[in-house]
mmCIF file with all atom_site columns, all heavy atoms in Angstrom:
data_model
loop_
_atom_site.group_PDB
_atom_site.id
_atom_site.type_symbol
_atom_site.label_atom_id
_atom_site.label_alt_id
_atom_site.label_comp_id
_atom_site.label_asym_id
_atom_site.label_entity_id
_atom_site.label_seq_id
_atom_site.pdbx_PDB_ins_code
_atom_site.Cartn_x
_atom_site.Cartn_y
_atom_site.Cartn_z
_atom_site.occupancy
_atom_site.B_iso_or_equiv
_atom_site.pdbx_formal_charge
_atom_site.auth_seq_id
_atom_site.auth_comp_id
_atom_site.auth_asym_id
_atom_site.auth_atom_id
_atom_site.pdbx_PDB_model_num
ATOM 1   N N   . GLN R 1 1  ? -1.669  14.282 -3.689  1.00 98.00 ? 1  GLN R N   1
ATOM 2   C CA  . GLN R 1 1  ? -1.326  15.186 -4.735  1.00 98.00 ? 1  GLN R CA  1
ATOM 3   C C   . GLN R 1 1  ? -2.301  14.999 -5.781  1.00 98.00 ? 1  GLN R C   1
ATOM 4   O O   . GLN R 1 1  ? -2.930  13.880 -6.040  1.00 98.00 ? 1  GLN R O   1
ATOM 5   C CB  . GLN R 1 1  ? 0.048   14.850 -5.242  1.00 98.00 ? 1  GLN R CB  1
ATOM 6   C CG  . GLN R 1 1  ? 1.178   15.159 -4.251  1.00 98.00 ? 1  GLN R CG  1
ATOM 7   C CD  . GLN R 1 1  ? 2.561   14.994 -4.698  1.00 98.00 ? 1  GLN R CD  1
ATOM 8   O OE1 . GLN R 1 1  ? 2.723   14.631 -5.776  1.00 98.00 ? 1  GLN R OE1 1
ATOM 9   N NE2 . GLN R 1 1  ? 3.527   15.218 -3.932  1.00 98.00 ? 1  GLN R NE2 1
ATOM 10  N N   . PRO R 1 2  ? -2.430  16.028 -6.636  1.00 98.00 ? 2  PRO R N   1
ATOM 11  C CA  . PRO R 1 2  ? -3.198  16.029 -7.873  1.00 98.00 ? 2  PRO R CA  1
ATOM 12  C C   . PRO R 1 2  ? -2.727  14.729 -8.729  1.00 98.00 ? 2  PRO R C   1
ATOM 13  O O   . PRO R 1 2  ? -1.661  14.520 -8.861  1.00 98.00 ? 2  PRO R O   1
ATOM 14  C CB  . PRO R 1 2  ? -3.043  17.394 -8.527  1.00 98.00 ? 2  PRO R CB  1
ATOM 15  C CG  . PRO R 1 2  ? -2.740  18.234 -7.423  1.00 98.00 ? 2  PRO R CG  1
ATOM 16  C CD  . PRO R 1 2  ? -1.838  17.399 -6.431  1.00 98.00 ? 2  PRO R CD  1
ATOM 17  N N   . GLY R 1 3  ? -3.806  14.052 -9.213  1.00 98.00 ? 3  GLY R N   1
ATOM 18  C CA  . GLY R 1 3  ? -3.558  12.955 -10.023 1.00 98.00 ? 3  GLY R CA  1
ATOM 19  C C   . GLY R 1 3  ? -3.479  11.645 -9.233  1.00 98.00 ? 3  GLY R C   1
ATOM 20  O O   . GLY R 1 3  ? -3.392  10.563 -9.787  1.00 98.00 ? 3  GLY R O   1
ATOM 21  N N   . GLY R 1 4  ? -3.375  11.710 -7.892  1.00 98.00 ? 4  GLY R N   1
ATOM 22  C CA  . GLY R 1 4  ? -3.339  10.613 -7.129  1.00 98.00 ? 4  GLY R CA  1
ATOM 23  C C   . GLY R 1 4  ? -4.605  9.879  -6.846  1.00 98.00 ? 4  GLY R C   1
ATOM 24  O O   . GLY R 1 4  ? -5.727  10.347 -7.389  1.00 98.00 ? 4  GLY R O   1
ATOM 25  N N   . SER R 1 5  ? -4.567  8.930  -5.888  1.00 98.00 ? 5  SER R N   1
ATOM 26  C CA  . SER R 1 5  ? -5.820  8.086  -5.706  1.00 98.00 ? 5  SER R CA  1
ATOM 27  C C   . SER R 1 5  ? -6.053  7.867  -4.256  1.00 98.00 ? 5  SER R C   1
ATOM 28  O O   . SER R 1 5  ? -5.075  7.823  -3.458  1.00 98.00 ? 5  SER R O   1
ATOM 29  C CB  . SER R 1 5  ? -5.680  6.688  -6.420  1.00 98.00 ? 5  SER R CB  1
ATOM 30  O OG  . SER R 1 5  ? -5.512  6.855  -7.829  1.00 98.00 ? 5  SER R OG  1
ATOM 31  N N   . LEU R 1 6  ? -7.306  7.618  -3.900  1.00 98.00 ? 6  LEU R N   1
ATOM 32  C CA  . LEU R 1 6  ? -7.663  7.316  -2.549  1.00 98.00 ? 6  LEU R CA  1
ATOM 33  C C   . LEU R 1 6  ? -8.897  6.344  -2.659  1.00 98.00 ? 6  LEU R C   1
ATOM 34  O O   . LEU R 1 6  ? -9.679  6.448  -3.629  1.00 98.00 ? 6  LEU R O   1
ATOM 35  C CB  . LEU R 1 6  ? -8.063  8.461  -1.724  1.00 98.00 ? 6  LEU R CB  1
ATOM 36  C CG  . LEU R 1 6  ? -7.011  9.340  -1.114  1.00 98.00 ? 6  LEU R CG  1
ATOM 37  C CD1 . LEU R 1 6  ? -7.717  10.519 -0.420  1.00 98.00 ? 6  LEU R CD1 1
ATOM 38  C CD2 . LEU R 1 6  ? -6.136  8.631  -0.069  1.00 98.00 ? 6  LEU R CD2 1
ATOM 39  N N   . ARG R 1 7  ? -9.042  5.437  -1.675  1.00 98.00 ? 7  ARG R N   1
ATOM 40  C CA  . ARG R 1 7  ? -10.250 4.629  -1.676  1.00 98.00 ? 7  ARG R CA  1
ATOM 41  C C   . ARG R 1 7  ? -10.799 4.813  -0.166  1.00 98.00 ? 7  ARG R C   1
ATOM 42  O O   . ARG R 1 7  ? -10.198 4.639  0.794   1.00 98.00 ? 7  ARG R O   1
ATOM 43  C CB  . ARG R 1 7  ? -9.931  3.167  -1.714  1.00 98.00 ? 7  ARG R CB  1
ATOM 44  C CG  . ARG R 1 7  ? -11.195 2.312  -1.832  1.00 98.00 ? 7  ARG R CG  1
ATOM 45  C CD  . ARG R 1 7  ? -10.902 0.884  -2.072  1.00 98.00 ? 7  ARG R CD  1
ATOM 46  N NE  . ARG R 1 7  ? -10.557 0.225  -0.953  1.00 98.00 ? 7  ARG R NE  1
ATOM 47  C CZ  . ARG R 1 7  ? -10.851 -1.179 -0.691  1.00 98.00 ? 7  ARG R CZ  1
ATOM 48  N NH1 . ARG R 1 7  ? -11.380 -1.800 -1.538  1.00 98.00 ? 7  ARG R NH1 1
ATOM 49  N NH2 . ARG R 1 7  ? -10.439 -1.606 0.494   1.00 98.00 ? 7  ARG R NH2 1
ATOM 50  N N   . LEU R 1 8  ? -12.050 5.305  -0.320  1.00 98.00 ? 8  LEU R N   1
ATOM 51  C CA  . LEU R 1 8  ? -12.831 5.582  0.884   1.00 98.00 ? 8  LEU R CA  1
ATOM 52  C C   . LEU R 1 8  ? -13.692 4.305  1.186   1.00 98.00 ? 8  LEU R C   1
ATOM 53  O O   . LEU R 1 8  ? -14.103 3.557  0.256   1.00 98.00 ? 8  LEU R O   1
ATOM 54  C CB  . LEU R 1 8  ? -13.799 6.751  0.784   1.00 98.00 ? 8  LEU R CB  1
ATOM 55  C CG  . LEU R 1 8  ? -13.132 8.088  0.402   1.00 98.00 ? 8  LEU R CG  1
ATOM 56  C CD1 . LEU R 1 8  ? -14.159 9.145  0.400   1.00 98.00 ? 8  LEU R CD1 1
ATOM 57  C CD2 . LEU R 1 8  ? -11.936 8.480  1.329   1.00 98.00 ? 8  LEU R CD2 1
ATOM 58  N N   . ALA R 1 9  ? -13.989 3.940  2.425   1.00 98.00 ? 9  ALA R N   1
ATOM 59  C CA  . ALA R 1 9  ? -14.778 2.957  2.891   1.00 98.00 ? 9  ALA R CA  1
ATOM 60  C C   . ALA R 1 9  ? -15.768 3.481  3.933   1.00 98.00 ? 9  ALA R C   1
ATOM 61  O O   . ALA R 1 9  ? -15.492 4.318  4.752   1.00 98.00 ? 9  ALA R O   1
ATOM 62  C CB  . ALA R 1 9  ? -14.045 1.768  3.390   1.00 98.00 ? 9  ALA R CB  1
ATOM 63  N N   . CYS R 1 10 ? -16.969 2.904  3.869   1.00 98.00 ? 10 CYS R N   1
ATOM 64  C CA  . CYS R 1 10 ? -18.016 3.222  4.848   1.00 98.00 ? 10 CYS R CA  1
ATOM 65  C C   . CYS R 1 10 ? -18.548 1.908  5.359   1.00 98.00 ? 10 CYS R C   1
ATOM 66  O O   . CYS R 1 10 ? -19.260 1.225  4.509   1.00 98.00 ? 10 CYS R O   1
ATOM 67  C CB  . CYS R 1 10 ? -19.153 4.039  4.163   1.00 98.00 ? 10 CYS R CB  1
ATOM 68  S SG  . CYS R 1 10 ? -20.607 4.299  5.193   1.00 98.00 ? 10 CYS R SG  1
ATOM 69  N N   . ALA R 1 11 ? -18.384 1.647  6.606   1.00 98.00 ? 11 ALA R N   1
ATOM 70  C CA  . ALA R 1 11 ? -18.904 0.457  7.249   1.00 98.00 ? 11 ALA R CA  1
ATOM 71  C C   . ALA R 1 11 ? -20.221 0.705  7.899   1.00 98.00 ? 11 ALA R C   1
ATOM 72  O O   . ALA R 1 11 ? -20.249 1.646  8.856   1.00 98.00 ? 11 ALA R O   1
ATOM 73  C CB  . ALA R 1 11 ? -17.879 -0.211 8.198   1.00 98.00 ? 11 ALA R CB  1
ATOM 74  N N   . ALA R 1 12 ? -21.284 0.034  7.635   1.00 97.00 ? 12 ALA R N   1
ATOM 75  C CA  . ALA R 1 12 ? -22.528 0.253  8.206   1.00 97.00 ? 12 ALA R CA  1
ATOM 76  C C   . ALA R 1 12 ? -22.943 -0.815 9.266   1.00 97.00 ? 12 ALA R C   1
ATOM 77  O O   . ALA R 1 12 ? -22.599 -2.042 9.055   1.00 97.00 ? 12 ALA R O   1
ATOM 78  C CB  . ALA R 1 12 ? -23.653 0.351  7.092   1.00 97.00 ? 12 ALA R CB  1
ATOM 79  N N   . SER R 1 13 ? -23.583 -0.334 10.311  1.00 97.00 ? 13 SER R N   1
ATOM 80  C CA  . SER R 1 13 ? -24.098 -1.348 11.286  1.00 97.00 ? 13 SER R CA  1
ATOM 81  C C   . SER R 1 13 ? -25.529 -0.766 11.790  1.00 97.00 ? 13 SER R C   1
ATOM 82  O O   . SER R 1 13 ? -25.814 0.361  11.672  1.00 97.00 ? 13 SER R O   1
ATOM 83  C CB  . SER R 1 13 ? -23.203 -1.530 12.449  1.00 97.00 ? 13 SER R CB  1
ATOM 84  O OG  . SER R 1 13 ? -22.981 -0.236 13.169  1.00 97.00 ? 13 SER R OG  1
ATOM 85  N N   . GLY R 1 14 ? -26.331 -1.734 12.164  1.00 96.00 ? 14 GLY R N   1
ATOM 86  C CA  . GLY R 1 14 ? -27.613 -1.270 12.723  1.00 96.00 ? 14 GLY R CA  1
ATOM 87  C C   . GLY R 1 14 ? -28.718 -1.233 11.692  1.00 96.00 ? 14 GLY R C   1
ATOM 88  O O   . GLY R 1 14 ? -29.831 -0.850 12.076  1.00 96.00 ? 14 GLY R O   1
ATOM 89  N N   . ILE R 1 15 ? -28.380 -1.414 10.416  1.00 94.00 ? 15 ILE R N   1
ATOM 90  C CA  . ILE R 1 15 ? -29.427 -1.592 9.445   1.00 94.00 ? 15 ILE R CA  1
ATOM 91  C C   . ILE R 1 15 ? -29.321 -2.802 8.602   1.00 94.00 ? 15 ILE R C   1
ATOM 92  O O   . ILE R 1 15 ? -28.316 -3.519 8.734   1.00 94.00 ? 15 ILE R O   1
ATOM 93  C CB  . ILE R 1 15 ? -29.181 -0.280 8.435   1.00 94.00 ? 15 ILE R CB  1
ATOM 94  C CG1 . ILE R 1 15 ? -27.884 -0.324 7.716   1.00 94.00 ? 15 ILE R CG1 1
ATOM 95  C CG2 . ILE R 1 15 ? -29.363 1.072  9.137   1.00 94.00 ? 15 ILE R CG2 1
ATOM 96  C CD1 . ILE R 1 15 ? -27.695 0.655  6.579   1.00 94.00 ? 15 ILE R CD1 1
ATOM 97  N N   . VAL R 1 16 ? -30.388 -3.137 7.971   1.00 94.00 ? 16 VAL R N   1
ATOM 98  C CA  . VAL R 1 16 ? -30.319 -4.170 6.897   1.00 94.00 ? 16 VAL R CA  1
ATOM 99  C C   . VAL R 1 16 ? -29.774 -3.519 5.659   1.00 94.00 ? 16 VAL R C   1
ATOM 100 O O   . VAL R 1 16 ? -30.380 -2.920 4.915   1.00 94.00 ? 16 VAL R O   1
ATOM 101 C CB  . VAL R 1 16 ? -31.811 -4.716 6.706   1.00 94.00 ? 16 VAL R CB  1
ATOM 102 C CG1 . VAL R 1 16 ? -31.638 -5.903 5.603   1.00 94.00 ? 16 VAL R CG1 1
ATOM 103 C CG2 . VAL R 1 16 ? -32.441 -5.359 8.023   1.00 94.00 ? 16 VAL R CG2 1
ATOM 104 N N   . PHE R 1 17 ? -28.376 -3.803 5.458   1.00 95.00 ? 17 PHE R N   1
ATOM 105 C CA  . PHE R 1 17 ? -27.532 -3.059 4.585   1.00 95.00 ? 17 PHE R CA  1
ATOM 106 C C   . PHE R 1 17 ? -28.129 -3.337 3.211   1.00 95.00 ? 17 PHE R C   1
ATOM 107 O O   . PHE R 1 17 ? -28.280 -2.341 2.267   1.00 95.00 ? 17 PHE R O   1
ATOM 108 C CB  . PHE R 1 17 ? -26.164 -3.511 4.693   1.00 95.00 ? 17 PHE R CB  1
ATOM 109 C CG  . PHE R 1 17 ? -25.232 -2.784 3.769   1.00 95.00 ? 17 PHE R CG  1
ATOM 110 C CD1 . PHE R 1 17 ? -24.837 -1.521 4.124   1.00 95.00 ? 17 PHE R CD1 1
ATOM 111 C CD2 . PHE R 1 17 ? -24.646 -3.441 2.641   1.00 95.00 ? 17 PHE R CD2 1
ATOM 112 C CE1 . PHE R 1 17 ? -23.908 -0.843 3.276   1.00 95.00 ? 17 PHE R CE1 1
ATOM 113 C CE2 . PHE R 1 17 ? -23.930 -2.754 1.748   1.00 95.00 ? 17 PHE R CE2 1
ATOM 114 C CZ  . PHE R 1 17 ? -23.445 -1.408 2.145   1.00 95.00 ? 17 PHE R CZ  1
ATOM 115 N N   . SER R 1 18 ? -28.568 -4.492 2.845   1.00 94.00 ? 18 SER R N   1
ATOM 116 C CA  . SER R 1 18 ? -28.985 -4.808 1.469   1.00 94.00 ? 18 SER R CA  1
ATOM 117 C C   . SER R 1 18 ? -30.355 -4.095 1.143   1.00 94.00 ? 18 SER R C   1
ATOM 118 O O   . SER R 1 18 ? -30.688 -4.025 -0.071  1.00 94.00 ? 18 SER R O   1
ATOM 119 C CB  . SER R 1 18 ? -29.142 -6.244 1.349   1.00 94.00 ? 18 SER R CB  1
ATOM 120 O OG  . SER R 1 18 ? -30.171 -6.824 2.224   1.00 94.00 ? 18 SER R OG  1
ATOM 121 N N   . GLY R 1 19 ? -31.026 -3.421 2.026   1.00 94.00 ? 19 GLY R N   1
ATOM 122 C CA  . GLY R 1 19 ? -32.310 -2.817 1.835   1.00 94.00 ? 19 GLY R CA  1
ATOM 123 C C   . GLY R 1 19 ? -32.025 -1.381 1.466   1.00 94.00 ? 19 GLY R C   1
ATOM 124 O O   . GLY R 1 19 ? -33.054 -0.509 1.253   1.00 94.00 ? 19 GLY R O   1
ATOM 125 N N   . TYR R 1 20 ? -30.745 -0.860 1.542   1.00 97.00 ? 20 TYR R N   1
ATOM 126 C CA  . TYR R 1 20 ? -30.545 0.563  1.319   1.00 97.00 ? 20 TYR R CA  1
ATOM 127 C C   . TYR R 1 20 ? -29.703 0.835  0.078   1.00 97.00 ? 20 TYR R C   1
ATOM 128 O O   . TYR R 1 20 ? -28.831 0.147  -0.218  1.00 97.00 ? 20 TYR R O   1
ATOM 129 C CB  . TYR R 1 20 ? -29.663 1.105  2.531   1.00 97.00 ? 20 TYR R CB  1
ATOM 130 C CG  . TYR R 1 20 ? -30.495 1.200  3.770   1.00 97.00 ? 20 TYR R CG  1
ATOM 131 C CD1 . TYR R 1 20 ? -30.852 0.135  4.642   1.00 97.00 ? 20 TYR R CD1 1
ATOM 132 C CD2 . TYR R 1 20 ? -31.021 2.488  4.129   1.00 97.00 ? 20 TYR R CD2 1
ATOM 133 C CE1 . TYR R 1 20 ? -31.639 0.293  5.782   1.00 97.00 ? 20 TYR R CE1 1
ATOM 134 C CE2 . TYR R 1 20 ? -31.712 2.716  5.291   1.00 97.00 ? 20 TYR R CE2 1
ATOM 135 C CZ  . TYR R 1 20 ? -32.046 1.619  6.126   1.00 97.00 ? 20 TYR R CZ  1
ATOM 136 O OH  . TYR R 1 20 ? -32.839 1.702  7.254   1.00 97.00 ? 20 TYR R OH  1
ATOM 137 N N   . THR R 1 21 ? -30.166 1.979  -0.537  1.00 98.00 ? 21 THR R N   1
ATOM 138 C CA  . THR R 1 21 ? -29.285 2.572  -1.488  1.00 98.00 ? 21 THR R CA  1
ATOM 139 C C   . THR R 1 21 ? -28.172 3.280  -0.715  1.00 98.00 ? 21 THR R C   1
ATOM 140 O O   . THR R 1 21 ? -28.525 3.982  0.219   1.00 98.00 ? 21 THR R O   1
ATOM 141 C CB  . THR R 1 21 ? -30.025 3.618  -2.391  1.00 98.00 ? 21 THR R CB  1
ATOM 142 O OG1 . THR R 1 21 ? -30.887 2.838  -3.230  1.00 98.00 ? 21 THR R OG1 1
ATOM 143 C CG2 . THR R 1 21 ? -29.203 4.379  -3.342  1.00 98.00 ? 21 THR R CG2 1
ATOM 144 N N   . MET R 1 22 ? -26.951 3.137  -1.178  1.00 98.00 ? 22 MET R N   1
ATOM 145 C CA  . MET R 1 22 ? -25.894 3.713  -0.426  1.00 98.00 ? 22 MET R CA  1
ATOM 146 C C   . MET R 1 22 ? -25.307 4.897  -1.285  1.00 98.00 ? 22 MET R C   1
ATOM 147 O O   . MET R 1 22 ? -25.311 4.782  -2.547  1.00 98.00 ? 22 MET R O   1
ATOM 148 C CB  . MET R 1 22 ? -24.669 2.787  -0.127  1.00 98.00 ? 22 MET R CB  1
ATOM 149 C CG  . MET R 1 22 ? -25.168 1.563  0.738   1.00 98.00 ? 22 MET R CG  1
ATOM 150 S SD  . MET R 1 22 ? -25.741 2.258  2.401   1.00 98.00 ? 22 MET R SD  1
ATOM 151 C CE  . MET R 1 22 ? -24.334 3.015  3.044   1.00 98.00 ? 22 MET R CE  1
ATOM 152 N N   . GLY R 1 23 ? -24.805 5.930  -0.745  1.00 98.00 ? 23 GLY R N   1
ATOM 153 C CA  . GLY R 1 23 ? -24.303 7.084  -1.459  1.00 98.00 ? 23 GLY R CA  1
ATOM 154 C C   . GLY R 1 23 ? -23.131 7.796  -0.750  1.00 98.00 ? 23 GLY R C   1
ATOM 155 O O   . GLY R 1 23 ? -22.957 7.527  0.510   1.00 98.00 ? 23 GLY R O   1
ATOM 156 N N   . TRP R 1 24 ? -22.407 8.508  -1.530  1.00 98.00 ? 24 TRP R N   1
ATOM 157 C CA  . TRP R 1 24 ? -21.306 9.447  -1.063  1.00 98.00 ? 24 TRP R CA  1
ATOM 158 C C   . TRP R 1 24 ? -21.648 10.806 -1.549  1.00 98.00 ? 24 TRP R C   1
ATOM 159 O O   . TRP R 1 24 ? -21.990 11.072 -2.630  1.00 98.00 ? 24 TRP R O   1
ATOM 160 C CB  . TRP R 1 24 ? -19.918 8.984  -1.651  1.00 98.00 ? 24 TRP R CB  1
ATOM 161 C CG  . TRP R 1 24 ? -19.356 7.682  -1.150  1.00 98.00 ? 24 TRP R CG  1
ATOM 162 C CD1 . TRP R 1 24 ? -19.514 6.430  -1.718  1.00 98.00 ? 24 TRP R CD1 1
ATOM 163 C CD2 . TRP R 1 24 ? -18.589 7.526  -0.001  1.00 98.00 ? 24 TRP R CD2 1
ATOM 164 N NE1 . TRP R 1 24 ? -18.830 5.515  -0.913  1.00 98.00 ? 24 TRP R NE1 1
ATOM 165 C CE2 . TRP R 1 24 ? -18.340 6.162  0.112   1.00 98.00 ? 24 TRP R CE2 1
ATOM 166 C CE3 . TRP R 1 24 ? -18.170 8.413  1.081   1.00 98.00 ? 24 TRP R CE3 1
ATOM 167 C CZ2 . TRP R 1 24 ? -17.607 5.654  1.239   1.00 98.00 ? 24 TRP R CZ2 1
ATOM 168 C CZ3 . TRP R 1 24 ? -17.555 7.874  2.144   1.00 98.00 ? 24 TRP R CZ3 1
ATOM 169 C CH2 . TRP R 1 24 ? -17.131 6.545  2.179   1.00 98.00 ? 24 TRP R CH2 1
ATOM 170 N N   . TYR R 1 25 ? -21.505 11.673 -0.544  1.00 98.00 ? 25 TYR R N   1
ATOM 171 C CA  . TYR R 1 25 ? -21.770 13.100 -0.697  1.00 98.00 ? 25 TYR R CA  1
ATOM 172 C C   . TYR R 1 25 ? -20.370 13.752 -0.252  1.00 98.00 ? 25 TYR R C   1
ATOM 173 O O   . TYR R 1 25 ? -19.662 13.220 0.450   1.00 98.00 ? 25 TYR R O   1
ATOM 174 C CB  . TYR R 1 25 ? -22.962 13.668 0.122   1.00 98.00 ? 25 TYR R CB  1
ATOM 175 C CG  . TYR R 1 25 ? -24.333 13.264 -0.405  1.00 98.00 ? 25 TYR R CG  1
ATOM 176 C CD1 . TYR R 1 25 ? -24.678 11.948 -0.278  1.00 98.00 ? 25 TYR R CD1 1
ATOM 177 C CD2 . TYR R 1 25 ? -25.116 14.175 -0.972  1.00 98.00 ? 25 TYR R CD2 1
ATOM 178 C CE1 . TYR R 1 25 ? -25.957 11.555 -0.754  1.00 98.00 ? 25 TYR R CE1 1
ATOM 179 C CE2 . TYR R 1 25 ? -26.413 13.946 -1.438  1.00 98.00 ? 25 TYR R CE2 1
ATOM 180 C CZ  . TYR R 1 25 ? -26.827 12.553 -1.288  1.00 98.00 ? 25 TYR R CZ  1
ATOM 181 O OH  . TYR R 1 25 ? -28.033 12.244 -1.751  1.00 98.00 ? 25 TYR R OH  1
ATOM 182 N N   . ARG R 1 26 ? -20.182 15.016 -0.693  1.00 98.00 ? 26 ARG R N   1
ATOM 183 C CA  . ARG R 1 26 ? -19.126 15.741 -0.245  1.00 98.00 ? 26 ARG R CA  1
ATOM 184 C C   . ARG R 1 26 ? -19.547 17.225 -0.058  1.00 98.00 ? 26 ARG R C   1
ATOM 185 O O   . ARG R 1 26 ? -20.372 17.754 -0.586  1.00 98.00 ? 26 ARG R O   1
ATOM 186 C CB  . ARG R 1 26 ? -17.968 15.586 -1.266  1.00 98.00 ? 26 ARG R CB  1
ATOM 187 C CG  . ARG R 1 26 ? -18.206 16.225 -2.560  1.00 98.00 ? 26 ARG R CG  1
ATOM 188 C CD  . ARG R 1 26 ? -17.052 16.082 -3.516  1.00 98.00 ? 26 ARG R CD  1
ATOM 189 N NE  . ARG R 1 26 ? -17.256 16.582 -4.912  1.00 98.00 ? 26 ARG R NE  1
ATOM 190 C CZ  . ARG R 1 26 ? -16.481 16.339 -5.963  1.00 98.00 ? 26 ARG R CZ  1
ATOM 191 N NH1 . ARG R 1 26 ? -15.434 15.557 -5.717  1.00 98.00 ? 26 ARG R NH1 1
ATOM 192 N NH2 . ARG R 1 26 ? -16.718 16.984 -7.027  1.00 98.00 ? 26 ARG R NH2 1
ATOM 193 N N   . GLN R 1 27 ? -18.668 17.823 0.865   1.00 98.00 ? 27 GLN R N   1
ATOM 194 C CA  . GLN R 1 27 ? -19.032 19.306 1.157   1.00 98.00 ? 27 GLN R CA  1
ATOM 195 C C   . GLN R 1 27 ? -17.642 19.896 1.344   1.00 98.00 ? 27 GLN R C   1
ATOM 196 O O   . GLN R 1 27 ? -16.909 19.540 2.316   1.00 98.00 ? 27 GLN R O   1
ATOM 197 C CB  . GLN R 1 27 ? -19.888 19.454 2.468   1.00 98.00 ? 27 GLN R CB  1
ATOM 198 C CG  . GLN R 1 27 ? -20.378 20.822 2.812   1.00 98.00 ? 27 GLN R CG  1
ATOM 199 C CD  . GLN R 1 27 ? -21.416 20.889 3.731   1.00 98.00 ? 27 GLN R CD  1
ATOM 200 O OE1 . GLN R 1 27 ? -21.621 19.955 4.602   1.00 98.00 ? 27 GLN R OE1 1
ATOM 201 N NE2 . GLN R 1 27 ? -22.145 21.875 3.783   1.00 98.00 ? 27 GLN R NE2 1
#
């Protein structure tokens, strides 16, 4: 509902995670 909260997570594999800028996009 409006005013509510969610937490999204993105688990990465196959990359050296610390070497990447991470981002969230939406469409």
Side-chain angles (χ1 to χ4, degrees):
Q1 294 184 356
S5 297
L6 284 174
R7 190 179 77 152
L8 307 183
C10 171
S13 61
I15 62 171
V16 180
F17 185 77
S18 61
Y20 284 80
T21 292
M22 302 299 298
W24 289 96
Y25 287 69
R26 65 187 181 187
Q27 187 168 25

